[in-house]
Amino acid sequence: MSRLSVRKTYKLYIGGAFPRSESGRSYPVTSAKGDFLANASLASRKDARDAVVAARKAFPGWSGATAYNRGQILYRVAEMLEGRRAQFAEELAGSGPGGKRASLESVDAAIDRLVWYAGWSDKIASVHGAANPVAGPYFNLSAPEPTGVVAVVAPADPLLGLVSVVAPVIVTGNTCVVVASEPAPLAAITLAEVLATSDLPGGVVNLLTGRQAELAPWLAAHMDVNGLDLTGVTDADLALRCEQEAAENLKRVLRPSQEDWTADPGTGRMTRFLETKTVWHPKGS
């Protein structure tokens, strides 16, 4: 018997739920050849504000979790992504210029990247913390702490690039609002489905699909956003405007960059959105 296919509805991911844009808007997503693939939600400024509220609400619990627990959850995300490897490869092949083989390699690299960051979860504090020598009968200890809510404009690479900018933000205890790749947002929402079923608390990652030019400046100006990653911004004027808006409350800003996402990522993205707290404690006599 013939049947109608059940087409996927690509929505936003805010606070652990999958709402449509409050504006009711959507935009067409096409393949590299210009063929129609799907309609994605066109997020509004109200959606961005809702996402920041969700990220702020999730921050105390996520930052207060043990580093080991955060690493476990990132590893679980990698496991879930591995289980849907074929689905992601098919989605990437449909939206990108590469073929099925290249798409599978990209999915595998994204899985490995998640495992790599999961392994750093309980080690980054040891590497970037310190016991400082002081002239006095005191212990002086410095330890990294998460900055807070980070807004991320994701790069064009729809999966590996996305994972490479989100994982270092959350593994260190921050929460985030992510503007997905504008031309290729479908894998981002499918990744959100993985996040929603992998023990990651709702609100830790919030994914918006839509226009960079519409969403990025409002996130940059939002006074409850503590950090701004502009990696995916391709327009120099837009990047400058976002940096100027971010200066209003002294956000930590990671400027736009062209990166080889297959290279060793290093620890730079993790430490970019960490702050150092130093504690003095008297020694016993």
Side-chain angles (χ1 to χ4, degrees):
M1 178 184 292
S2 61
R3 54 184 293 273
L4 294 174
S5 59
V6 180
R7 295 187 177 183
K8 183 172 179 177
T9 303
Y10 290 87
K11 302 177 183 177
L12 309 175
Y13 181 56
I14 300 175
F18 291 89
R20 291 181 172 86
S21 171
E22 60 82 29
S23 67
R25 301 177 303 168
S26 64
Y27 71 102
V29 180
T30 59
S31 69
K33 298 179 180 179
D35 298 325
F36 174 81
L37 295 175
N39 287 309
S41 290
L42 186 59
S44 67
R45 289 176 289 175
K46 174 65 164 57
D47 296 318
R49 291 196 298 271
D50 290 345
V52 173
V53 170
R56 177 58 62 192
K57 183 178 180 180
F59 178 70
W62 183 244
S63 61
T66 65
Y68 179 71
N69 181 238
R70 290 198 295 268
Q72 283 182 309
I73 291 174
L74 255 71
Y75 191 85
R76 178 59 177 162
V77 175
E79 287 180 331
M80 299 290 288
L81 185 54
E82 179 84 52
R84 298 175 67 169
R85 179 174 179 263
Q87 177 190 357
F88 273 93
E90 182 178 350
E91 205 160 53
L92 291 178
S95 60
K100 186 68 176 290
R101 181 175 179 179
S103 297
L104 284 170
E105 291 174 352
S106 182
V107 177
D108 290 343
I111 295 167
D112 293 345
R113 186 61 45 83
L114 283 165
V115 172
W116 191 87
Y117 276 115
W120 269 102
S121 64
D122 56 357
K123 301 173 183 65
I124 192 69
S126 299
V127 173
H128 288 276
N132 308 306
V134 293
Y138 305 100
F139 292 110
N140 183 263
L141 306 174
S142 294
E145 290 190 339
T147 294
V149 175
V150 179
V152 179
V153 182
D157 188 310
L159 184 61
L160 178 57
L162 176 65
V163 166
S164 297
V165 295
V166 171
V169 169
I170 64 173
V171 75
T172 50
N174 297 291
T175 57
C176 63
V177 177
V178 185
V179 180
S181 167
E182 187 175 326
L186 305 187
I189 296 303
T190 304
L191 179 64
E193 296 172 2
V194 170
L195 299 177
T197 55
S198 58
D199 302 326
L200 187 75
V204 173
V205 176
N206 303 273
L207 276 159
L208 305 175
T209 55
R211 310 297 187 204
Q212 280 186 7
E214 181 177 359
L215 299 172
W218 287 96
L219 290 170
H222 200 299
M223 299 302 284
D224 205 25
V225 172
N226 308 106
L228 183 64
D229 183 346
L230 298 174
T231 296
V233 175
T234 55
D235 182 272
D237 291 336
L238 177 60
L240 177 60
R241 180 185 171 191
C242 288
E243 290 183 53
Q244 291 170 337
E245 296 285 4
E248 190 70 21
N249 73 332
L250 303 179
K251 290 178 177 65
R252 291 171 175 265
V253 177
L254 188 59
R255 304 185 75 184
S257 60
Q258 296 291 328
E259 299 192 30
D260 177 8
W261 299 112
T262 62
D264 185 335
T267 61
R269 286 187 171 273
M270 286 185 284
T271 59
R272 188 72 181 194
F273 297 111
L274 287 174
E275 298 178 355
T276 300
K277 180 176 76 174
T278 299
V279 177
W280 295 73
H281 192 281
K283 293 180 181 179
S285 56

